[in-house]
Every structure is written in structure tokens, then in C-alpha cells.
């Protein structure tokens, strides 16, 4: 794959295991559009959950021997020509689809097992999008074939859309829920025949490991310390978070420490409300928020250093395998 | 008191889970398991010697809640233990929901919280954003067990909040460990926020669903692993501020509203459950003026509101015609969107 300065994302690697992600998104605005190229490999593998169970996943991976769930987050600029090449290393058919990012239809169509294709489009529309497999919907997507892609306004490094409230850093939170029976069915080429009963809940593919738990503090295992997920900032480091829910359950995203500025909902620009809970719909629901990193307003005496959680308030998501509170979909927010 | 014979030790380091050693687990039929509970309090913050408001809360694990079908469900909650006599530890008698807290913007507030050594809990003042050691999140600061701990905060924004336990939260909040928290503006009740709309009367509707099959679980259920079903909520009761929404809430004092035409009613609506809800005002029009303790940049009028877990909406209703209006809150499945149940109350306009 060709790596460009303006297309940095988490580092792939750690063959055969889920990559927790160590890179940071960066963004360099440009006066002119470019051609952006990216290659994904559709791969599969097992990912160990918080209760020790190994669960089957498929992903858009950054190399043929790894497994990335979600795929790397991508950031392009409005007007860029984007060329995504997908090598399907599996035996099953898949696809690569992005809704709304372009005035053209972005849909690879069927990518048969063992074949490759390139999807080309112009990134016409600023905002946050999900790339995903729409075949065998929603099963393939939920089994891991998804990722986030952002389109920045031309020549801007601090806006979600032209004239939006500004930020100084940005990241993605991709939420998913996993029903092991559904993933097993995908693995076996079957269509799940049971109601969706999620037992695992993830943020950017990982889940929490509270202090003292095996893997706690490991950024490749623990979502509280995954740099793609955890927020780090000093007062004033306003952080745009592009939130995507590829699963089926509706979520209530909750931050401690600061209210969020709620900028968009499912692609629509909203009047900006300050909220400590932001709803995030299932089935590729999207919401953009800015976490302002203001001095926590109710601290007495005022204090601007400390750690707070972000968690979902639909608290079933905070569990793994029916118990293990704090082994679910959460991360930490570090006021530094 | 519904205390059970499981214990958690309060020795140990920050990262301690007291899963086996140091307690009577072996003698208790294999119980005595609590994991990822953080009971060591290191470097607590200094307290203001002159707080404006002090609350005292302790734990009650045995609150019977009788439903309209005659069944009684056990709830947990925070007892108002002001006045002492508890020796600081144990209990007191709580209601469901727990006693409200009501303070004024800018006041320095201390919440003194006592928990026996037999268990662990916290108080998180939801939507209030204090220093992290007053935030009540166990894995970041500590859980409270076997002592009294004081949370200190100074609310900067008037509005509707709630407080709840943040230990094994999925279970403890479902068990009812929450209460309303209202912050009034400097000119006090009667105005929603500074320079904001006025109101003549108010109602606090905390709408929640209950899965009675969770209500025999131990306080530490699931924390050490094992499938105790906390990923699946299958509610069978739906309540408004602790009253069964099947029938009782239609007429319950303090929930059902009787008002005069053209008076201004403030509804403080709290989505206190985990499932999404839709509140329908029964033909009345509500002006939504603030949410989650912040004024909206522009209010809007609506006949219904969709909400997700822990959202709050402050709504002014000023009916111009007499009538009896049935307010219905549909609680919907978080995956399918199907209506799981409906809680109802009434606004009678004279
Ligand atoms: Cu508790
Ligand atoms: Cu909360």
C-alpha cells in the first residue's frame, strides 16, 4: 500500500491478532485535491473477548496476514479522488460500500472470494461516513467488515464542515455489538436464525479492562488505553469525535467531565446543543461531537487535571459475556 | 435491610479485586466474590470547611415496591441519613427513587456517603462535572466501602440532573439506586435557569423500566465473571418516579398533575432506564427549553420527545383549554424499536 502524508491512520501489524491501534490520525490541509489510494485485505480470525472467549470476526485489514476490526480510519479532503483497492482473501463474497460521501454511488458490487477490485470516487461531501459490506446485511458488517472515513473541508484543519465550531484534534469512536451465534453463522456461511442477543460490546474493536484485569493498560487490548479511543488533552484541546454505530442497538453516549457539543446526527447539521448524553442510532448511525476539554465546570475548587470515563449509558453494554462490568464499551478521558 | 452474606474487603491497593483472599468467602458457600472494586482511598481532596449544603446518604438494599399486579419487587436505594443515628455505616430507610437533592447554582455542596464494609457503592451526580475524586467512578477514583466518603461539587448550571450509583452500575442503577438532582438558578425555584422561562408548578417524571428477574442478584453479581445475564434486559414493569405506570401513576399524587388553564407547568423528564423512550404529551404541546442541564440555544415546541438513557428534557406546558390529558411514555427495545411497555400519567387542566 502506498502511504501518503495525508492518509495516516493506525499502524497495522501484529500478525494474526487484532490490532489495537497505535497510530494517531493526523491531517494536513491542502489547497488542491489529490488522489488518495488505500488497499484493504478482507481477512478473518478470532478475537479474544473480555471473558476469555474467542469469537470469529472478519475485517477490512491493512495487510493480508492481520485482522483489523474496524478497518483503519481514513481522512481525506473534499474533492479528493479516492481509490480503494480491496483484495478478498476469503472464500466468501463481500463488498465495499460508502453511503453519502460522493455524488456518485460508491459500491464495489460483489467481490468474489479470492478476487480483487478497486472502487474509485470523488469525495464530494464533507463529514463522517462508514465504509462497510452491505452483502448479507447486516451480518457481514456486524461481524467486522466496517470502518470510518472522514472528508475534511478544503483547506481546513479545524472544522467539521465550513463554519462549524472548531477543534484542535479529531478521532473516531466506532461502536459495535457482538452476538457470538451470529458471528458463528457468518463463519459457517449460514444466515443467523436467532434474535440478535449481543454479549460483547466494543469501541473501535476493543473493550474495557479495569485496573487489575489481565490486559489492563495494554493499548492493543484495553479500550480505556487505546489511543484511537481514549481522549487526551489539556484545557482547550477541543476534540472532534466522529461516532459511528455499526451494530443494531441504539446507544446513549455519555461523557463525564464535560458536556459534549452535539454537531450532527445521521449526516444532518444540528443546532449545537451541549449534552452529557448523545443518542447514537444503530445500523450505521452517526453523530459528530466536540469534547471541549473545558475545566470541569462543577469542580470545587476548580481543577483541570484528572481522569473521567466515557461510557454508554445503556449499561448492558458495559458487560462481557453477561457479567464483568467495565469489560464493555467504554474509554477514559484524560485531562492532562 | 436486604444485606447478603457476601463481603468485600477494604484492604489493599488501587487495583484490588477481592476475589478470594482476605474474607470469609470460603465459609459462605462459595460466595464472597467481588472483583474490580476499588476501596482504597488515596489522597482524598481537601474539603471546604464552609459548605453551603450538605447531604447525607447511606444504603438501603431492601425497599419493597408493590406493583399494580400485586407483586412486590425488591429495590435498592440511598437513604437520607441526615440526622445521624446510623453510626455512619449501614443504613436507613430509603424510598424508590431515592430522596431528591435540590440546590442552587453556585452553592458549594457536600454529599456525605456512608457504606458498610459488607458491600461497595458510589454516588455519581450525573451531569454534574466535579473534580475527578468527587465523580464517584470506582475504577478512576474509588468505590466506597466500610466508611464515609464526601463528594464535593459546586453546580455551575441550573437544570435537571440525577444522582446514581456507579458501582457495578449496570445492576445498581437498574435496582433503583438513583434520585433526582435539581439545580435552581440564583432566583430560585420558579425559573428553569438564569434569565430563562418561569413556571408555576412542576413535575419530575423519572421514567424507568424494571426487569424483575435481575432483582435477586447480589450487589457484586457478575463482577468476577460468569454469565449472570446483565447483557440482556427484559423489562416487565414500567414506572414513573417509582410508581407503576400501568395504572397507579395515572393518579399518584406528585406524579399526576392537576393545574389551572394558562398556568405554566414545568415537566422535568428524566429517561432513567436503559432502553430508548418516547414521551407523548397526550395532545398537549410542550416547549422544550433545556436538556441535560443546559439551555437549548433555541427552544422548540413539540407533542412528543424521543430520549435515550439518562437524557433529561425540561418542558414548559401551558394549556389553554380544560381537559384531561393522558401522557404516555413508550419504552422501546434498544435493538428492534418495538414497544416493550407503556407508562402513563395524567395532566388534568381545570
Ligand atoms: Cu451501588
Ligand atoms: Cu449516569
Amino acid at each position: 500500500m502506498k502511504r501518503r502524508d495525508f492518509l495516516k491512520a493506525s499502524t497495522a501489524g501484529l500478525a494474526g491478532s487484532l490490532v489495537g491501534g497505535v497510530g494517531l490520525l493526523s491531517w494536513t490541509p491542502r489547497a488542491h485535491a489529490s488522489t488518495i489510494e488505500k488497499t484493504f485485505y478482507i481477512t478473518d480470525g478470532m478475537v479474544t473477548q473480555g471473558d476469555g472467549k474467542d469469537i470469529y470476526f472478519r475485517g477490512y485489514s491493512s495487510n493480508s496476514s492481520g485482522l483489523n476490526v474496524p478497518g483503519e480510519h481514513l481522512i481525506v479532503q473534499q474533492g479528493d479522488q479516492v481509490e480503494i483497492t480491496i483484495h478478498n482473501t476469503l472464500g466468501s463474497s463481500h463488498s465495499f460500500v460508502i453511503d453519502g460521501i460522493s455524488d456518485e454511488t460508491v459500491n464495489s458490487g460483489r467481490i468474489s472470494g479470492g478476487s480483487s477490485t478497486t472502487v474509485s470516487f470523488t469525495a464530494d461531501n464533507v463529514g463522517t461516513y462508514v465504509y462497510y459490506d452491505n452483502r448479507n446485511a447486516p451480518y457481514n458488517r456486524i461481524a467486522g467488515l466496517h470502518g470510518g472515513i472522514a472528508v475534511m473541508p478544503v483547506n481546513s484543519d479545524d472544522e467539521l464542515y465550513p463554519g462549524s465550531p472548531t477543534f484542535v484534534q479529531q478521532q473516531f469512536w466506532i461502536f459495535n455489538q457482538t452476538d457470538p451465534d451470529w458471528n458463528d453463522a457468518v463463519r459457517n456461511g449460514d444466515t443467523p436464525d436467532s434474535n440478535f442477543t449481543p454479549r460483547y460490546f466494543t469501541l473501535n474493536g476493543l473493550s474495557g479492562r479495569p485496573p487489575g484485569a489481565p490486559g489492563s493498560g495494554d493499548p492493543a487490548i484495553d479500550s480505556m488505553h487505546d489511543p484511537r479511543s481514549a481522549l487526551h488533552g489539556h484545557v482547550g484541546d477541543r476534540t472532534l469525535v466522529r461516532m459511528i454505530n455499526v451494530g443494531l442497538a441504539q446507544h446513549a453516549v455519555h461523557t463525564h467531565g464535560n458536556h459534549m457539543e452535539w454537531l450532527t446526527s445521521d449526516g444532518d447539521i444540528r443546532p449545537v446543543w451541549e449534552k452529557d448524553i448523545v443518542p447514537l442510532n444503530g445500523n450505521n448511525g452517526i453523530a459528530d461531537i466536540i469534547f471541549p476539554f473545558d475545566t470541569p465546570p462543577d469542580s470545587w475548587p476548580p481543577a483541570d487535571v484528572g481522569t473521567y470515563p466515557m461510557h454508554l449509558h445503556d449499561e448492558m453494554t458495559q458487560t462481557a459475556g453477561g457479567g464483568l462490568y467495565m469489560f464493555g464499551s467504554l474509554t477514559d478521558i484524560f485531562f492532562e | 435491610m436486604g444485606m447478603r452474606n457476601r463481603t468485600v474487603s477494604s484492604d489493599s491497593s488501587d487495583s484490588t479485586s477481592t476475589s478470594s483472599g482476605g474474607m470469609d468467602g470460603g465459609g459462605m458457600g462459595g460466595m464472597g466474590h467481588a472483583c474490580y472494586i476499588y476501596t482504597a482511598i488515596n489522597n482524598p481532596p481537601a474539603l471546604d470547611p464552609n459548605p453551603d449544603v450538605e447531604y447525607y446518604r447511606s444504603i438501603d438494599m431492601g425497599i419493597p415496591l408493590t406493583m399494580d399486579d400485586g407483586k412486590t419487587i425488591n429495590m435498592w436505594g440511598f437513604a437520607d441519613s441526615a440526622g445521624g443515628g446510623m453510626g455512619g455505616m449501614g443504613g436507613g430507610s430509603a424510598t424508590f427513587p431515592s430522596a431528591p437533592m435540590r440546590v442552587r447554582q453556585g452553592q458549594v455542596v457536600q454529599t456525605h456517603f456512608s457504606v458498610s464494609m459488607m458491600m461497595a457503592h458510589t454516588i455519581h451526580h450525573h451531569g454534574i462535572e466535579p473534580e475527578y475524586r468527587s465523580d464517584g467512578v470506582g475504577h478512576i477514583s474509588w468505590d466506597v466501602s466500610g466508611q464515609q466518603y464526601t463528594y464535593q461539587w459546586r453546580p455551575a448550571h441550573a437544570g435537571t440532573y440525577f444522582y446514581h450509583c456507579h458501582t457495578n452500575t449496570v445492576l445498581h442503577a437498574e435496582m433503583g439506586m438513583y434520585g433526582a438532582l435539581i439545580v435552581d438558578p440564583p432566583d430560585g425555584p420558579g425559573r428553569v435557569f438564569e434569565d430563562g422561562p418561569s413556571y408555576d408548578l412542576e413535575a419530575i417524571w423519572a421514567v424507568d423500566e424494571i426487569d424483575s428477574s435481575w432483582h435477586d442478584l447480589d450487589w457484586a453479581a457478575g463482577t468476577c465473571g460468569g454469565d449472570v445475564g446483565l447483557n440482556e434486559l427484559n423489562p416487565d414493569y414500567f414506572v414513573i418516579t417509582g410508581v407503576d405506570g400501568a395504572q397507579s401513576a395515572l393518579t399518584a399524587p406528585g406524579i399526576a398533575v392537576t393545574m389551572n388553564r394558562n398556568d405554566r407547568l414545568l415537566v422535568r423528564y428524566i429517561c432513567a432506564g436503559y432502553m430508548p423512550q418516547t414521551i407523548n404529551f397526550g395532545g398537549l404541546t410542550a416547549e422544550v427549553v433545556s436538556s441535560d442541564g443546559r439551555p437549548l440555544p433555541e427552544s422548540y415546541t413539540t407533542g412528543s420527545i424521543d430520549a435515550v438513557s439518562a437524557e433529561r428534557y425540561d418542558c414548559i406546558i401551558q394549556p389553554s383549554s380544560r381537559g384531561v390529558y393522558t401522557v404516555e411514555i413508550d419504552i422501546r427495545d434498544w435493538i428492534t424499536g418495538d414497544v416493550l411497555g407503556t407508562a402513563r400519567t395524567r395532566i388534568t387542566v381545570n
Side-chain angles (χ1 to χ4, degrees):
Chain A
M1 125 192 187
K2 211 179 223 174
R3 170 153 291 195
R4 308 289 187 95
D5 284 342
F6 37 78
L7 198 115
K8 286 184 182 163
S10 52
T11 308
L14 307 187
S17 68
L18 183 76
V19 178
V22 286
L24 284 176
L25 290 165
S26 71
W27 172 250
T28 306
R30 290 166 272 119
H32 302 288
S34 294
T35 298
I36 309 294
E37 298 171 5
K38 172 69 183 170
T39 300
F40 286 121
Y41 302 83
I42 296 178
T43 63
D44 65 356
M46 306 299 282
V47 180
T48 304
Q49 303 299 309
D51 61 353
K53 298 256 178 7
D54 290 328
I55 304 294
Y56 179 79
F57 284 89
R58 292 179 180 171
Y60 296 110
S61 303
S62 294
N63 62 60
S64 58
S65 59
L67 173 63
N68 292 68
V69 180
E72 282 185 37
H73 311 317
L74 306 178
I75 303 180
V76 303
Q77 180 171 294
Q78 186 173 28
D80 282 347
Q81 181 70 19
V82 183
E83 298 182 357
I84 309 273
T85 298
I86 303 107
H87 301 294
N88 183 359
T89 74
L90 305 180
S92 44
S93 294
H94 293 286
S95 69
F96 183 95
V97 174
I98 308 174
D99 299 321
I101 197 171
S102 175
D103 297 341
E104 316 154 57
T105 297
V106 181
N107 185 339
S108 68
R110 173 192 181 121
I111 312 171
S112 301
S115 72
S116 301
T117 194
T118 296
V119 179
S120 300
F121 61 92
T122 304
D124 294 304
N125 304 316
V126 299
T128 303
Y129 304 92
V130 53
Y131 59 83
Y132 67 103
D133 180 4
N134 73 346
R135 293 181 65 82
N136 194 28
Y139 311 114
N140 291 353
R141 182 188 82 226
I142 290 174
L145 286 163
H146 59 257
I149 179 168
V151 181
M152 289 289 292
V154 172
N155 226 351
S156 174
D157 62 359
D158 63 357
E159 293 166 302
L160 175 65
Y161 52 85
S164 79
T166 59
F167 59 86
V168 299
Q169 53 187 4
Q170 62 173 310
Q171 54 201 80
F172 288 81
W173 283 344
I174 300 188
F175 296 93
N176 194 15
Q177 310 103 41
T178 299
D179 178 341
D181 291 343
W182 279 32
N183 285 31
D184 277 349
V186 168
R187 179 186 200 176
N188 297 328
D190 300 332
T191 299
D193 58 4
S194 55
N195 288 334
F196 186 62
T197 307
R199 294 175 60 78
Y200 305 102
F201 305 91
T202 50
L203 169 59
N204 290 328
L206 302 182
S207 53
R209 297 293 186 276
S216 177
D218 181 341
I221 295 175
D222 177 5
S223 61
M224 299 186 202
H225 291 88
D226 175 356
R228 298 171 306 169
S229 299
L231 304 188
H232 292 262
H234 296 90
V235 165
D237 286 344
R238 295 167 53 81
T239 303
L240 171 69
V241 185
R242 302 173 183 271
M243 308 194 299
I244 298 171
N245 181 1
V246 299
L248 297 183
Q250 186 175 19
H251 283 329
V253 180
H254 176 47
T255 53
H256 293 215
N258 275 181
H259 280 47
M260 299 165 271
E261 297 169 16
W262 184 15
L263 306 188
T264 75
S265 187
D266 292 333
D268 293 330
I269 296 171
R270 324 170 20 90
V272 179
W273 291 3
E274 294 176 68
K275 296 278 290 176
D276 62 60
I277 294 280
V278 167
L280 184 61
N281 292 324
N283 267 312
N284 290 353
I286 295 174
D288 296 296
I289 62 103
I290 287 175
F291 188 86
F293 274 108
D294 289 330
T295 298
D298 310 311
S299 56
W300 184 256
D304 48 24
V305 173
T307 305
Y308 298 86
M310 181 287 293
H311 63 90
L312 300 178
H313 219 283
D314 37 323
E315 292 275 346
M316 300 80 82
T317 60
Q318 301 302 289
T319 64
L324 288 174
Y325 174 65
M326 291 183 288
F327 286 67
S329 207
L330 75 162
T331 191
D332 281 349
I333 300 170
F334 299 88
F335 282 70
E336 295 170 336
Chain B
M1 287 287 296
M3 256 317 299
R4 295 168 177 73
N5 49 5
R6 301 189 190 187
T7 66
V8 56
S9 76
S10 49
D11 62 332
S12 74
S13 67
D14 267 3
S15 59
T16 282
S17 62
T18 51
S19 57
S20 51
M23 62 179 68
D24 54 357
M28 290 289 182
M31 298 198 296
H33 266 46
C35 296
Y36 311 114
I37 301 293
Y38 308 91
T39 57
I41 297 179
N42 298 314
N43 186 29
L47 295 178
D48 193 313
N50 297 305
D52 298 303
V53 183
E54 294 177 83
Y55 286 105
Y56 292 83
R57 289 291 184 272
S58 55
I59 298 297
D60 184 352
M61 307 282 277
I63 307 169
L65 181 68
T66 301
M67 311 309 297
D68 286 342
D69 63 5
K71 193 173 159 187
T72 298
I73 299 170
N74 188 51
M75 307 296 292
W76 302 345
F78 301 102
D80 182 347
S81 45
M86 308 300 170
M89 293 304 126
S93 189
T95 55
F96 169 65
S98 303
M101 297 182 184
R102 186 156 200 160
V103 300
R104 197 162 287 191
Q105 179 179 323
Q107 288 182 317
V108 174
V109 188
Q110 292 178 351
T111 307
H112 307 292
F113 183 42
S114 296
V115 184
S116 87
M117 65 179 295
M118 304 294 284
M119 52 189 170
H121 300 277
T122 70
I123 292 179
H124 169 62
H125 304 83
H126 181 116
I128 299 292
E129 288 149 353
E131 204 254 10
Y132 74 101
R133 289 169 296 185
S134 288
D135 197 35
V137 176
H139 85 271
I140 288 172
S141 51
W142 34 73
D143 301 284
V144 180
S145 181
Q147 57 192 304
Q148 184 184 84
Y149 182 72
T150 299
Y151 303 98
Q152 177 166 287
W153 43 287
R154 184 177 187 254
H157 301 275
T160 304
Y161 301 82
F162 67 130
Y163 67 98
H164 63 77
C165 183
H166 219 291
T167 299
N168 202 11
T169 318
V170 55
L171 177 61
H172 291 210
E174 204 284 336
M175 290 298 294
M177 301 191 77
Y178 63 82
L181 195 177
I182 308 299
V183 178
D184 289 306
D187 50 347
R191 197 167 292 286
V192 188
F193 49 85
E194 229 172 335
D195 302 320
S198 65
Y199 57 91
D200 302 304
L201 69 169
E202 68 185 317
I204 300 172
W205 292 340
V207 184
D208 192 5
E209 74 279 320
I210 293 171
D211 179 345
S212 61
S213 77
W214 286 19
H215 282 237
D216 296 319
L217 292 171
D218 180 79
W219 72 270
T223 58
C224 298
D227 184 353
V228 294
L230 293 177
N231 61 313
E232 257 189 282
L233 186 75
N234 295 304
D236 44 359
Y237 294 98
F238 306 89
V239 297
I240 305 178
T241 319
V243 174
D244 195 330
Q247 273 299 323
S248 294
L250 282 167
T251 52
I255 297 173
V257 174
T258 302
M259 64 186 295
N260 294 321
R261 206 156 48 109
N262 294 321
D263 273 359
R264 292 165 64 80
L265 167 68
L266 171 63
V267 171
R268 300 182 184 270
Y269 165 53
I270 303 171
C271 181
Y274 296 155
M275 295 292 181
Q277 301 179 359
T278 302
I279 183 168
N280 190 304
F281 294 104
L284 292 169
T285 298
E287 180 185 8
V288 185
V289 297
S290 50
S291 178
D292 296 0
R294 299 291 185 275
L296 301 187
E298 271 185 75
S299 68
Y300 69 97
T301 56
T302 183
S304 68
I305 299 171
D306 292 327
V308 297
S309 178
E311 279 194 288
R312 290 90 64 209
Y313 286 93
D314 299 325
C315 310
I316 300 281
I317 297 177
Q318 189 170 18
S320 54
S321 22
R322 294 186 176 88
V324 177
Y325 303 88
T326 301
V327 177
E328 296 189 314
I329 303 99
D330 287 334
I331 291 86
R332 291 182 289 106
D333 185 87
W334 65 328
I335 293 165
T336 64
D338 293 346
V339 175
L340 300 170
T342 301
R344 293 178 180 84
T345 188
R346 233 175 240 151
I347 298 173
T348 303
V349 181
N350 293 318

